[in-house]
Amino acid sequence: MPVPHFIKRSLPVALGSALAVAAISATPASASSGWWYSSGNGASGYYNHVNGRVTACDIKTDGYKAAVQVLRMDGSVITTVTDSYNNGSCSWRTPTLFEGRHKIRVCIQKSSARPVNCGAVHEFTV
């Protein structure tokens, strides 16, 4: 039985649409960005999903430095970015983060002591 003419024309369009939908649904979730703060607002931090940078900003002249930690979902530290001077500029690093969910928190830190006054832990996706 021959295939009707209107089916021959609509079949490539239907297949193309199905492939486009499949490609979109297979695309990984986009990364998220945001500024976050330490408890007491002595430090701020940012994850930039466009260039993958993690930024730390010391925003209070108090003898502490900003410490922004990127964590695995189990809470272990992947990297820490610090900024030591409340001078209007920030410090950044571009860590290698594998696709998936991560956590970030912003703290203050005295010299090489353990980070303290950490703000809430936030999740983001790469």
Side-chain angles (χ1 to χ4, degrees):
M1 177 170 173
V3 177
H5 184 65
F6 67 91
I7 293 179
K8 285 183 184 177
R9 286 191 176 172
S10 62
L11 188 58
V13 172
L15 285 174
S17 297
L19 289 174
V21 168
I24 290 170
S25 63
T27 303
S30 64
S32 50
S33 295
W35 279 103
W36 297 291
Y37 297 87
S38 65
S39 175
N41 293 325
S44 64
Y46 181 78
Y47 171 72
N48 185 319
H49 76 278
V50 175
N51 58 21
R53 287 182 181 170
V54 177
T55 301
C57 301
D58 185 356
I59 56 175
K60 188 185 272 186
T61 306
D62 57 4
Y64 287 86
K65 60 184 173 182
V68 176
Q69 295 181 315
V70 176
L71 312 163
R72 290 180 183 85
M73 291 306 291
D74 67 4
S76 59
V77 177
I78 297 172
T79 191
T80 301
V81 181
T82 61
D83 184 57
S84 299
Y85 304 103
N86 179 16
N87 62 1
S89 66
C90 301
S91 300
W92 58 269
R93 177 180 297 158
T94 307
T96 300
L97 298 177
F98 294 102
E99 190 173 295
R101 292 183 355 200
H102 303 281
K103 296 179 181 180
I104 189 169
R105 70 179 180 179
V106 181
C107 310
I108 58 173
Q109 184 177 14
K110 188 74 135 178
S111 188
S112 61
R114 200 178 106 205
V116 295
N117 292 355
C118 299
V121 175
H122 301 277
E123 288 187 23
F124 67 98
T125 305
V126 174

